[in-house]
Amino acid sequence: MWIISLPIQISEISCEPARLTWLDWTGTAIWFIGFLFESIGDAQLALFKADSRNKGKVMDRGLWRYTRHPNYFGDALLWWGLFVIALSTPGGHWTVISPLIMTGLLMKVSGVALLEKTLTKTKPEYRQYVSRTSAFFPWMPRG
């Protein structure tokens, strides 16, 4: 957690609120977009799962039409936004390790990869969804 939170630690140590830079504003915008992706994606999935008619079906509407994991994508953006904010501080560029680790974990270890192993086995429609929808980065559906 110490390594993952480096951008926050560096920004907090060096923060001078009277001197916000374009990096601070850009990082805040990236963070906010990530927050929206994660919270809207989670809310859309919760509503989908709450409807008993959707049992065993694949969520492929809303943000889920453009990425199979909008919540994980949003989470990664949160960390990239914090990193961009940290760039405005001395030594902030070294904190790039944080979003790199988090994005790697979300894409290859605990997020996308782990969840998709289960979903391809338990939901027959999921393979079709995979063939037309970007795994992580939002993109127009194929086909």
Side-chain angles (χ1 to χ4, degrees):
M1 187 47 90
W2 184 79
I3 292 171
I4 299 300
S5 67
L6 278 174
I8 298 167
Q9 295 174 55
I10 293 295
S11 297
E12 187 63 31
I13 291 169
S14 305
C15 186
E16 293 183 33
R19 293 190 188 177
L20 295 176
T21 69
W22 68 272
L23 287 167
D24 296 312
W25 294 109
T26 303
T28 300
I30 293 168
W31 184 93
F32 187 69
I33 293 167
F35 178 80
L36 288 176
F37 256 86
E38 188 169 6
S39 57
I40 291 170
D42 283 343
Q44 288 174 339
L45 185 60
L47 286 172
F48 179 81
K49 286 182 170 184
D51 186 342
S52 61
R53 295 174 294 183
N54 292 326
K55 187 165 177 74
K57 292 184 181 179
V58 174
M59 171 58 164
D60 61 356
R61 290 170 262 162
L63 293 176
W64 299 84
R65 181 171 187 245
Y66 304 101
T67 169
R68 296 193 306 265
H69 303 283
N71 46 357
Y72 293 150
F73 174 73
D75 191 20
L77 278 186
L78 294 173
W79 292 102
W80 283 103
L82 292 171
F83 163 68
V84 172
I85 292 169
L87 282 176
S88 66
T89 63
H93 63 285
W94 292 104
T95 67
V96 72
I97 191 73
S98 167
L100 287 173
I101 289 172
M102 283 305 296
T103 303
L105 288 172
L106 289 167
M107 290 177 74
K108 303 291 184 190
V109 181
S110 65
V112 173
L114 187 63
L115 183 59
E116 292 206 340
K117 283 180 186 177
T118 304
L119 291 173
T120 53
K121 292 176 186 174
T122 60
K123 296 187 179 197
E125 293 177 32
Y126 200 77
R127 284 200 176 105
Q128 211 174 35
Y129 178 59
V130 167
S131 71
R132 68 179 184 270
T133 310
S134 172
F136 191 75
F137 298 99
W139 198 251
M140 296 304 295
R142 297 178 290 276

mmCIF file of all heavy atoms in Angstrom, residues 29-60:
data_model
loop_
_atom_site.group_PDB
_atom_site.id
_atom_site.type_symbol
_atom_site.label_atom_id
_atom_site.label_comp_id
_atom_site.label_asym_id
_atom_site.label_seq_id
_atom_site.Cartn_x
_atom_site.Cartn_y
_atom_site.Cartn_z
ATOM 1 N N ALA A 29 -9.057 16.216 -13.288
ATOM 2 C CA ALA A 29 -10.032 15.844 -14.333
ATOM 3 C C ALA A 29 -9.949 14.350 -14.643
ATOM 4 O O ALA A 29 -10.978 13.672 -14.759
ATOM 5 C CB ALA A 29 -9.788 16.665 -15.596
ATOM 6 N N ILE A 30 -8.734 13.821 -14.742
ATOM 7 C CA ILE A 30 -8.557 12.385 -14.996
ATOM 8 C C ILE A 30 -9.140 11.583 -13.841
ATOM 9 O O ILE A 30 -9.851 10.594 -14.040
ATOM 10 C CB ILE A 30 -7.067 12.046 -15.221
ATOM 11 C CG1 ILE A 30 -6.581 12.680 -16.532
ATOM 12 C CG2 ILE A 30 -6.833 10.530 -15.230
ATOM 13 C CD1 ILE A 30 -5.073 12.653 -16.713
ATOM 14 N N TRP A 31 -8.828 12.002 -12.614
ATOM 15 C CA TRP A 31 -9.355 11.323 -11.437
ATOM 16 C C TRP A 31 -10.884 11.322 -11.469
ATOM 17 O O TRP A 31 -11.519 10.309 -11.203
ATOM 18 C CB TRP A 31 -8.851 12.009 -10.160
ATOM 19 C CG TRP A 31 -9.286 11.313 -8.912
ATOM 20 C CD1 TRP A 31 -8.595 10.363 -8.229
ATOM 21 C CD2 TRP A 31 -10.534 11.488 -8.213
ATOM 22 N NE1 TRP A 31 -9.336 9.941 -7.140
ATOM 23 C CE2 TRP A 31 -10.524 10.609 -7.114
ATOM 24 C CE3 TRP A 31 -11.644 12.288 -8.408
ATOM 25 C CZ2 TRP A 31 -11.578 10.521 -6.216
ATOM 26 C CZ3 TRP A 31 -12.710 12.201 -7.522
ATOM 27 C CH2 TRP A 31 -12.658 11.330 -6.436
ATOM 28 N N PHE A 32 -11.488 12.474 -11.779
ATOM 29 C CA PHE A 32 -12.941 12.600 -11.783
ATOM 30 C C PHE A 32 -13.578 11.713 -12.857
ATOM 31 O O PHE A 32 -14.601 11.070 -12.604
ATOM 32 C CB PHE A 32 -13.353 14.064 -11.967
ATOM 33 C CG PHE A 32 -14.827 14.282 -11.823
ATOM 34 C CD1 PHE A 32 -15.447 14.144 -10.588
ATOM 35 C CD2 PHE A 32 -15.603 14.603 -12.919
ATOM 36 C CE1 PHE A 32 -16.816 14.334 -10.446
ATOM 37 C CE2 PHE A 32 -16.969 14.801 -12.795
ATOM 38 C CZ PHE A 32 -17.582 14.659 -11.555
ATOM 39 N N ILE A 33 -12.980 11.646 -14.024
ATOM 40 C CA ILE A 33 -13.490 10.754 -15.082
ATOM 41 C C ILE A 33 -13.425 9.311 -14.599
ATOM 42 O O ILE A 33 -14.355 8.526 -14.791
ATOM 43 C CB ILE A 33 -12.725 10.955 -16.404
ATOM 44 C CG1 ILE A 33 -13.028 12.341 -16.975
ATOM 45 C CG2 ILE A 33 -13.067 9.859 -17.414
ATOM 46 C CD1 ILE A 33 -12.089 12.772 -18.101
ATOM 47 N N GLY A 34 -12.325 8.949 -13.946
ATOM 48 C CA GLY A 34 -12.203 7.608 -13.382
ATOM 49 C C GLY A 34 -13.263 7.332 -12.336
ATOM 50 O O GLY A 34 -13.865 6.255 -12.311
ATOM 51 N N PHE A 35 -13.505 8.315 -11.486
ATOM 52 C CA PHE A 35 -14.536 8.178 -10.456
ATOM 53 C C PHE A 35 -15.898 7.945 -11.100
ATOM 54 O O PHE A 35 -16.670 7.088 -10.659
ATOM 55 C CB PHE A 35 -14.554 9.428 -9.568
ATOM 56 C CG PHE A 35 -15.623 9.396 -8.520
ATOM 57 C CD1 PHE A 35 -15.439 8.675 -7.357
ATOM 58 C CD2 PHE A 35 -16.812 10.087 -8.704
ATOM 59 C CE1 PHE A 35 -16.437 8.636 -6.377
ATOM 60 C CE2 PHE A 35 -17.807 10.052 -7.742
ATOM 61 C CZ PHE A 35 -17.622 9.333 -6.579
ATOM 62 N N LEU A 36 -16.204 8.706 -12.149
ATOM 63 C CA LEU A 36 -17.479 8.535 -12.849
ATOM 64 C C LEU A 36 -17.584 7.143 -13.476
ATOM 65 O O LEU A 36 -18.618 6.483 -13.353
ATOM 66 C CB LEU A 36 -17.664 9.620 -13.917
ATOM 67 C CG LEU A 36 -17.947 11.019 -13.406
ATOM 68 C CD1 LEU A 36 -17.998 12.001 -14.577
ATOM 69 C CD2 LEU A 36 -19.237 11.072 -12.600
ATOM 70 N N PHE A 37 -16.522 6.711 -14.148
ATOM 71 C CA PHE A 37 -16.544 5.381 -14.769
ATOM 72 C C PHE A 37 -16.776 4.299 -13.725
ATOM 73 O O PHE A 37 -17.598 3.401 -13.915
ATOM 74 C CB PHE A 37 -15.234 5.102 -15.512
ATOM 75 C CG PHE A 37 -15.350 5.212 -16.987
ATOM 76 C CD1 PHE A 37 -15.203 6.430 -17.623
ATOM 77 C CD2 PHE A 37 -15.615 4.098 -17.766
ATOM 78 C CE1 PHE A 37 -15.317 6.550 -18.984
ATOM 79 C CE2 PHE A 37 -15.734 4.194 -19.135
ATOM 80 C CZ PHE A 37 -15.584 5.433 -19.750
ATOM 81 N N GLU A 38 -16.047 4.375 -12.625
ATOM 82 C CA GLU A 38 -16.174 3.339 -11.605
ATOM 83 C C GLU A 38 -17.552 3.364 -10.947
ATOM 84 O O GLU A 38 -18.208 2.326 -10.816
ATOM 85 C CB GLU A 38 -15.080 3.505 -10.544
ATOM 86 C CG GLU A 38 -15.035 2.355 -9.564
ATOM 87 C CD GLU A 38 -13.814 2.361 -8.678
ATOM 88 O OE1 GLU A 38 -13.018 3.313 -8.722
ATOM 89 O OE2 GLU A 38 -13.659 1.379 -7.935
ATOM 90 N N SER A 39 -18.016 4.521 -10.558
ATOM 91 C CA SER A 39 -19.292 4.592 -9.845
ATOM 92 C C SER A 39 -20.487 4.338 -10.766
ATOM 93 O O SER A 39 -21.420 3.621 -10.389
ATOM 94 C CB SER A 39 -19.438 5.921 -9.107
ATOM 95 O OG SER A 39 -19.317 6.996 -9.995
ATOM 96 N N ILE A 40 -20.469 4.882 -11.967
ATOM 97 C CA ILE A 40 -21.571 4.635 -12.903
ATOM 98 C C ILE A 40 -21.582 3.170 -13.328
ATOM 99 O O ILE A 40 -22.647 2.534 -13.366
ATOM 100 C CB ILE A 40 -21.498 5.578 -14.121
ATOM 101 C CG1 ILE A 40 -21.796 7.009 -13.695
ATOM 102 C CG2 ILE A 40 -22.461 5.134 -15.228
ATOM 103 C CD1 ILE A 40 -21.517 8.064 -14.752
ATOM 104 N N GLY A 41 -20.405 2.617 -13.628
ATOM 105 C CA GLY A 41 -20.332 1.201 -13.995
ATOM 106 C C GLY A 41 -20.852 0.296 -12.896
ATOM 107 O O GLY A 41 -21.615 -0.640 -13.149
ATOM 108 N N ASP A 42 -20.460 0.565 -11.667
ATOM 109 C CA ASP A 42 -20.944 -0.228 -10.536
ATOM 110 C C ASP A 42 -22.457 -0.082 -10.358
ATOM 111 O O ASP A 42 -23.156 -1.065 -10.096
ATOM 112 C CB ASP A 42 -20.233 0.171 -9.245
ATOM 113 C CG ASP A 42 -18.820 -0.381 -9.129
ATOM 114 O OD1 ASP A 42 -18.483 -1.328 -9.879
ATOM 115 O OD2 ASP A 42 -18.049 0.127 -8.300
ATOM 116 N N ALA A 43 -22.951 1.143 -10.501
ATOM 117 C CA ALA A 43 -24.398 1.369 -10.342
ATOM 118 C C ALA A 43 -25.186 0.664 -11.452
ATOM 119 O O ALA A 43 -26.220 0.043 -11.186
ATOM 120 C CB ALA A 43 -24.705 2.863 -10.350
ATOM 121 N N GLN A 44 -24.698 0.738 -12.678
ATOM 122 C CA GLN A 44 -25.378 0.064 -13.785
ATOM 123 C C GLN A 44 -25.413 -1.453 -13.561
ATOM 124 O O GLN A 44 -26.442 -2.093 -13.783
ATOM 125 C CB GLN A 44 -24.678 0.379 -15.115
ATOM 126 C CG GLN A 44 -24.888 1.787 -15.588
ATOM 127 C CD GLN A 44 -24.072 2.126 -16.824
ATOM 128 O OE1 GLN A 44 -23.067 1.481 -17.140
ATOM 129 N NE2 GLN A 44 -24.511 3.155 -17.533
ATOM 130 N N LEU A 45 -24.301 -2.012 -13.104
ATOM 131 C CA LEU A 45 -24.252 -3.453 -12.861
ATOM 132 C C LEU A 45 -25.176 -3.847 -11.709
ATOM 133 O O LEU A 45 -25.865 -4.868 -11.784
ATOM 134 C CB LEU A 45 -22.818 -3.898 -12.576
ATOM 135 C CG LEU A 45 -22.603 -5.402 -12.426
ATOM 136 C CD1 LEU A 45 -23.014 -6.151 -13.700
ATOM 137 C CD2 LEU A 45 -21.144 -5.688 -12.090
ATOM 138 N N ALA A 46 -25.217 -3.040 -10.665
ATOM 139 C CA ALA A 46 -26.092 -3.336 -9.521
ATOM 140 C C ALA A 46 -27.559 -3.339 -9.952
ATOM 141 O O ALA A 46 -28.322 -4.235 -9.564
ATOM 142 C CB ALA A 46 -25.867 -2.325 -8.407
ATOM 143 N N LEU A 47 -27.956 -2.373 -10.748
ATOM 144 C CA LEU A 47 -29.341 -2.332 -11.242
ATOM 145 C C LEU A 47 -29.640 -3.534 -12.136
ATOM 146 O O LEU A 47 -30.713 -4.131 -12.051
ATOM 147 C CB LEU A 47 -29.601 -1.034 -12.010
ATOM 148 C CG LEU A 47 -29.731 0.223 -11.170
ATOM 149 C CD1 LEU A 47 -29.782 1.466 -12.059
ATOM 150 C CD2 LEU A 47 -30.972 0.151 -10.290
ATOM 151 N N PHE A 48 -28.696 -3.896 -12.975
ATOM 152 C CA PHE A 48 -28.852 -5.040 -13.865
ATOM 153 C C PHE A 48 -29.038 -6.329 -13.049
ATOM 154 O O PHE A 48 -29.933 -7.117 -13.308
ATOM 155 C CB PHE A 48 -27.626 -5.146 -14.776
ATOM 156 C CG PHE A 48 -27.649 -6.311 -15.723
ATOM 157 C CD1 PHE A 48 -28.376 -6.242 -16.906
ATOM 158 C CD2 PHE A 48 -26.941 -7.468 -15.438
ATOM 159 C CE1 PHE A 48 -28.393 -7.315 -17.787
ATOM 160 C CE2 PHE A 48 -26.953 -8.533 -16.314
ATOM 161 C CZ PHE A 48 -27.682 -8.462 -17.487
ATOM 162 N N LYS A 49 -28.186 -6.523 -12.051
ATOM 163 C CA LYS A 49 -28.258 -7.734 -11.225
ATOM 164 C C LYS A 49 -29.508 -7.767 -10.352
ATOM 165 O O LYS A 49 -29.984 -8.840 -9.991
ATOM 166 C CB LYS A 49 -27.014 -7.848 -10.342
ATOM 167 C CG LYS A 49 -25.780 -8.251 -11.099
ATOM 168 C CD LYS A 49 -24.604 -8.385 -10.144
ATOM 169 C CE LYS A 49 -23.418 -9.011 -10.796
ATOM 170 N NZ LYS A 49 -22.300 -9.218 -9.843
ATOM 171 N N ALA A 50 -30.029 -6.602 -10.002
ATOM 172 C CA ALA A 50 -31.217 -6.535 -9.146
ATOM 173 C C ALA A 50 -32.477 -7.001 -9.873
ATOM 174 O O ALA A 50 -33.454 -7.386 -9.229
ATOM 175 C CB ALA A 50 -31.413 -5.120 -8.629
ATOM 176 N N ASP A 51 -32.454 -6.992 -11.174
ATOM 177 C CA ASP A 51 -33.601 -7.425 -11.973
ATOM 178 C C ASP A 51 -33.511 -8.931 -12.190
ATOM 179 O O ASP A 51 -32.608 -9.419 -12.873
ATOM 180 C CB ASP A 51 -33.608 -6.685 -13.314
ATOM 181 C CG ASP A 51 -34.846 -6.968 -14.146
ATOM 182 O OD1 ASP A 51 -35.551 -7.966 -13.878
ATOM 183 O OD2 ASP A 51 -35.103 -6.185 -15.079
ATOM 184 N N SER A 52 -34.430 -9.685 -11.626
ATOM 185 C CA SER A 52 -34.389 -11.154 -11.707
ATOM 186 C C SER A 52 -34.454 -11.668 -13.148
ATOM 187 O O SER A 52 -34.011 -12.784 -13.425
ATOM 188 C CB SER A 52 -35.516 -11.754 -10.864
ATOM 189 O OG SER A 52 -36.773 -11.319 -11.358
ATOM 190 N N ARG A 53 -34.970 -10.881 -14.066
ATOM 191 C CA ARG A 53 -35.029 -11.300 -15.477
ATOM 192 C C ARG A 53 -33.639 -11.380 -16.113
ATOM 193 O O ARG A 53 -33.472 -11.990 -17.162
ATOM 194 C CB ARG A 53 -35.901 -10.342 -16.288
ATOM 195 C CG ARG A 53 -37.364 -10.352 -15.860
ATOM 196 C CD ARG A 53 -38.131 -9.290 -16.586
ATOM 197 N NE ARG A 53 -37.624 -7.988 -16.142
ATOM 198 C CZ ARG A 53 -38.085 -6.827 -16.500
ATOM 199 N NH1 ARG A 53 -39.087 -6.752 -17.354
ATOM 200 N NH2 ARG A 53 -37.588 -5.700 -16.030
ATOM 201 N N ASN A 54 -32.654 -10.805 -15.457
ATOM 202 C CA ASN A 54 -31.296 -10.794 -16.004
ATOM 203 C C ASN A 54 -30.421 -11.926 -15.468
ATOM 204 O O ASN A 54 -29.250 -12.014 -15.817
ATOM 205 C CB ASN A 54 -30.622 -9.449 -15.712
ATOM 206 C CG ASN A 54 -31.270 -8.329 -16.473
ATOM 207 O OD1 ASN A 54 -31.726 -8.508 -17.594
ATOM 208 N ND2 ASN A 54 -31.323 -7.162 -15.853
ATOM 209 N N LYS A 55 -30.982 -12.791 -14.649
ATOM 210 C CA LYS A 55 -30.204 -13.880 -14.055
ATOM 211 C C LYS A 55 -29.563 -14.729 -15.158
ATOM 212 O O LYS A 55 -30.233 -15.174 -16.080
ATOM 213 C CB LYS A 55 -31.085 -14.751 -13.173
ATOM 214 C CG LYS A 55 -30.280 -15.795 -12.405
ATOM 215 C CD LYS A 55 -31.115 -16.388 -11.292
ATOM 216 C CE LYS A 55 -30.385 -17.467 -10.575
ATOM 217 N NZ LYS A 55 -29.351 -16.990 -9.704
ATOM 218 N N GLY A 56 -28.249 -14.890 -15.081
ATOM 219 C CA GLY A 56 -27.504 -15.677 -16.054
ATOM 220 C C GLY A 56 -27.160 -14.922 -17.332
ATOM 221 O O GLY A 56 -26.482 -15.460 -18.197
ATOM 222 N N LYS A 57 -27.613 -13.682 -17.441
ATOM 223 C CA LYS A 57 -27.332 -12.881 -18.639
ATOM 224 C C LYS A 57 -26.077 -12.041 -18.431
ATOM 225 O O LYS A 57 -25.588 -11.879 -17.323
ATOM 226 C CB LYS A 57 -28.516 -11.974 -18.967
ATOM 227 C CG LYS A 57 -29.748 -12.730 -19.423
ATOM 228 C CD LYS A 57 -30.836 -11.762 -19.818
ATOM 229 C CE LYS A 57 -32.084 -12.540 -20.261
ATOM 230 N NZ LYS A 57 -33.162 -11.609 -20.615
ATOM 231 N N VAL A 58 -25.594 -11.473 -19.539
ATOM 232 C CA VAL A 58 -24.398 -10.647 -19.520
ATOM 233 C C VAL A 58 -24.796 -9.175 -19.630
ATOM 234 O O VAL A 58 -25.567 -8.803 -20.501
ATOM 235 C CB VAL A 58 -23.471 -11.039 -20.704
ATOM 236 C CG1 VAL A 58 -22.286 -10.098 -20.797
ATOM 237 C CG2 VAL A 58 -23.008 -12.481 -20.565
ATOM 238 N N MET A 59 -24.249 -8.364 -18.756
ATOM 239 C CA MET A 59 -24.496 -6.930 -18.806
ATOM 240 C C MET A 59 -23.710 -6.347 -19.978
ATOM 241 O O MET A 59 -22.486 -6.393 -19.993
ATOM 242 C CB MET A 59 -24.052 -6.283 -17.498
ATOM 243 C CG MET A 59 -24.061 -4.783 -17.484
ATOM 244 S SD MET A 59 -25.679 -4.107 -17.853
ATOM 245 C CE MET A 59 -25.477 -2.455 -17.295
ATOM 246 N N ASP A 60 -24.438 -5.825 -20.966
ATOM 247 C CA ASP A 60 -23.768 -5.259 -22.146
ATOM 248 C C ASP A 60 -24.399 -3.930 -22.573
ATOM 249 O O ASP A 60 -24.418 -3.578 -23.744
ATOM 250 C CB ASP A 60 -23.784 -6.252 -23.304
ATOM 251 C CG ASP A 60 -25.185 -6.622 -23.765
ATOM 252 O OD1 ASP A 60 -26.169 -6.170 -23.142
ATOM 253 O OD2 ASP A 60 -25.293 -7.366 -24.746
#
